[in-house]
Amino acid sequence: MKICKLPLRGLIKIETMKRYYLLNLVLAVFLITGCSGEEKLESVIDNALEFSEKQCLLMAEKYAAQDSILPRSFENGENTTSSSRWWTSGFYPGSLWYLYENNKNPEILKYAKLYTDRVEREKYTTDNHDVGFMLYCSFGNGLRLTDDKHYEKVLVTGANSLATRYRSDIGLIRSWDHNKDRWQYPVIIDNIMNLELLLWAYNYTGDRKFKEIAVSHADKTMEHHYRPDYSSYHVVSYDTISGLPHLKQTHQGFSDESMWSRGQAWGLYGYTYLYRELKDERYLQQAQNIADLLIHHPNMPEDYIPYWDYNAPDIPNTNRDASAGCLMASALIELSDYVDKDRAKEYMTVVEKQIRALASPEYTAKLGENGCFILKHSTGAYPFESEVDVPLTYADYYYLEALTRLKKKLNR
Ligand code: GLY
């Protein structure tokens, strides 16, 4: 048989080269992915942060010249914005601070300061509870990273404004002033997030009133917002004479008895940081109970990014809420530091799935698209058909917080 035209030595050389290239390819894949074949988590985080910085810079440039404008969402092909009055005003500046924390880019710092300043007038807000969100995400992160003394003053003024909404006979901060004919004294689960500003103010000023308000609000919320299975109502309204709940309802969820996803995540995040700040074991237990409920919920999807309500009737044919997934991821990373090894491992397995999903093209937008927001698929207020399946500033904020926390944890 005469098949081989090349001399045998030439053939051996080609085979050796092929093997050499193949080996190099396998080595390169191994270096990027580890032995699992998946991209390494460290590399997922770095790429996500690198992309987020570029995307957020595009957003920063978009509104830099429009004094007092803050990004809000992107609907029907158009960006929506708000003034500092809207409850989400502090999240975009906060996102810039997280990006600055990860990569000390002076351009990001410039914009973080510019957009943070736009929220300052909210330090006088006394007509709603959102002053905590507005100021602590913007000025709070700014202070943490720059030690700017002016930021301290803004935060103390803001904490005093928030404290005016507390009634000692009821023991809670009033969330909203609207719908007075329906709710006597409405408190929403989201309000648990605003206590972090008060606890900062207590540590900074030493004024015990801030701590007393925070503890009372946290305890009453645990008592009256939570059902025996550790799911939470959205709105609890208190009778102003008896100081006891007269209504337990929803506002943004599917029904009064359902589990509105972001509300569950606010609670998880809230009791986690309350434990960090106050070292009260009851808060740690509460956070663990909520985490267990959410992680093992039969309607939790495989990527652990919840549907907008755990009891939405059309699951799985309904919308997700990426913001609830981001909040949950960020909270679980922190909570994993406070629990036993097995629980911590379980929480971090969930977090890894969430982060990989969020960083994938399924949730992460392309550069310059999605109104220059990082993430797609959040839900603001489904029952009002408002901000459904859109990007939201708070999804991006808690995503960046989760990436930052995870990066630090992996580097420890
Ligand atoms: N705090 C309002 C919301 O979560 O939609």
Side-chain angles (χ1 to χ4, degrees):
M1 272 204 314
K2 228 178 152 196
I3 345 166
C4 181
K5 288 203 176 124
L6 281 168
L8 192 58
R9 249 184 316 151
L11 256 188
I12 291 172
K13 211 168 160 193
I14 290 173
E15 280 308 308
T16 315
M17 276 169 70
K18 266 194 199 160
R19 255 184 247 138
Y20 174 78
Y21 284 122
L22 195 67
L23 190 69
N24 273 340
L25 190 70
V26 171
L27 254 172
V29 171
F30 182 79
L31 283 176
I32 296 171
T33 64
C35 49
S36 66
E38 266 187 323
E39 186 181 357
K40 275 192 170 171
L41 190 54
E42 286 83 349
S43 150
V44 171
I45 296 167
D46 287 344
N47 290 336
L49 286 169
E50 199 185 315
F51 166 79
S52 300
E53 184 177 315
K54 288 187 196 142
Q55 189 81 328
C56 284
L57 267 176
L58 291 178
M59 180 76 91
E61 285 156 9
K62 208 188 265 251
Y63 299 112
Q66 293 181 44
D67 203 19
S68 80
I69 289 292
L70 289 138
R72 177 171 164 174
S73 183
F74 179 72
E75 285 190 276
N76 308 316
E78 302 273 340
N79 274 87
T80 57
T81 59
S82 75
S83 72
S84 61
R85 293 293 291 141
W86 183 238
W87 76 277
T88 63
S89 60
F91 290 117
Y92 177 67
S95 291
L96 292 170
W97 285 118
Y98 276 121
L99 289 169
Y100 177 65
E101 182 171 4
N102 281 288
N103 178 19
K104 296 280 179 312
N105 179 347
E107 193 70 357
I108 289 278
L109 177 63
K110 177 185 87 183
Y111 285 126
K113 288 180 175 175
L114 180 112
Y115 284 96
T116 294
D117 288 348
R118 290 185 184 180
V119 187
E120 179 167 346
R121 69 182 187 139
E122 297 315 316
K123 66 188 177 187
Y124 299 122
T125 289
T126 54
D127 63 358
N128 68 72
H129 69 130
D130 289 321
V131 63
F133 280 120
M134 293 160 168
L135 296 183
Y136 203 64
C137 301
S138 53
F139 285 89
N141 279 308
L143 176 63
R144 190 170 61 77
L145 296 167
T146 64
D147 220 15
D148 185 326
K149 297 294 165 218
H150 178 64
Y151 288 7
E152 287 177 357
K153 289 195 192 116
V154 172
L155 289 167
V156 173
T157 306
N160 275 303
S161 298
L162 179 58
T164 63
R165 299 190 60 78
Y166 178 75
R167 254 181 73 164
S168 55
D169 55 341
I170 298 178
L172 288 134
I173 295 166
R174 182 183 183 123
S175 299
W176 294 330
D177 287 353
H178 57 80
N179 280 303
K180 282 195 167 123
D181 49 345
R182 181 173 169 201
W183 299 312
Q184 289 187 36
Y185 195 92
V187 179
I188 61 173
I189 186 61
D190 324 29
N191 206 337
I192 203 84
M193 299 294 287
N194 294 314
L195 309 179
E196 201 169 2
L197 172 63
L198 297 183
L199 292 172
W200 173 85
Y202 164 66
N203 289 326
Y204 178 75
T205 63
D207 185 341
R208 289 197 65 80
K209 108 179 154 198
F210 293 121
K211 183 175 173 185
E212 280 158 18
I213 294 173
V215 169
S216 175
H217 190 103
D219 290 353
K220 295 261 176 191
T221 299
M222 203 150 75
E223 188 180 345
H224 296 304
H225 257 86
Y226 280 88
R227 308 179 182 106
D229 66 354
Y230 302 103
S231 65
S232 162
Y233 286 96
H234 184 192
V235 188
V236 175
S237 180
Y238 291 80
D239 182 307
T240 49
I241 296 170
S242 70
L244 291 171
H246 71 100
L247 281 175
K248 295 192 177 192
Q249 296 187 322
T250 196
H251 190 59
Q252 282 154 259
F254 165 65
S255 71
D256 290 346
E257 291 303 323
S258 75
M259 286 170 58
W260 173 52
S261 299
R262 196 161 53 255
Q264 312 312 309
W266 291 137
L268 172 66
Y269 190 109
Y271 285 101
T272 301
Y273 85 70
L274 282 163
Y275 175 70
R276 179 218 310 144
E277 294 298 322
L278 297 163
K279 294 287 169 296
D280 184 329
E281 291 290 327
R282 293 173 310 132
Y283 301 149
L284 177 59
Q285 195 53 56
Q286 182 76 1
Q288 285 185 59
N289 290 337
I290 300 168
D292 288 350
L293 170 72
L294 303 188
I295 289 172
H296 300 289
H297 196 283
N299 287 342
M300 176 61 93
E302 261 178 39
D303 62 6
Y304 290 92
I305 308 300
Y307 294 98
W308 67 277
D309 190 301
Y310 287 83
N311 306 105
D314 34 8
I315 285 174
N317 302 314
T318 193
N319 299 95
R320 304 292 188 94
D321 179 15
S323 78
C326 296
L327 259 168
M328 194 179 158
S330 188
L332 287 177
I333 296 165
E334 176 166 18
L335 190 57
S336 70
D337 284 342
Y338 308 145
V339 297
D340 63 59
K341 250 172 66 186
D342 290 345
R343 265 213 161 77
K345 199 169 157 207
E346 184 186 34
Y347 294 172
M348 292 313 294
T349 304
V350 170
V351 167
E352 182 165 348
K353 287 193 176 152
Q354 291 174 316
I355 294 295
R356 284 187 186 279
L358 292 165
S360 78
E362 180 58 31
Y363 289 92
T364 291
K366 292 205 177 90
L367 191 64
E369 295 184 3
N370 202 36
C372 299
F373 286 89
I374 305 165
L375 295 177
K376 305 178 275 184
H377 306 316
S378 286
T379 298
Y382 191 97
F384 304 100
E385 294 177 26
S386 168
E387 300 184 329
V388 177
D389 196 18
V390 295
L392 290 166
T393 46
Y394 40 103
D396 286 4
Y397 173 86
Y398 290 105
Y399 178 53
L400 291 172
E401 184 181 81
L403 289 171
T404 307
R405 286 179 170 184
L406 191 53
K407 188 173 172 153
K408 281 188 194 161
K409 192 173 171 95
L410 296 177
N411 285 336
R412 260 187 234 148

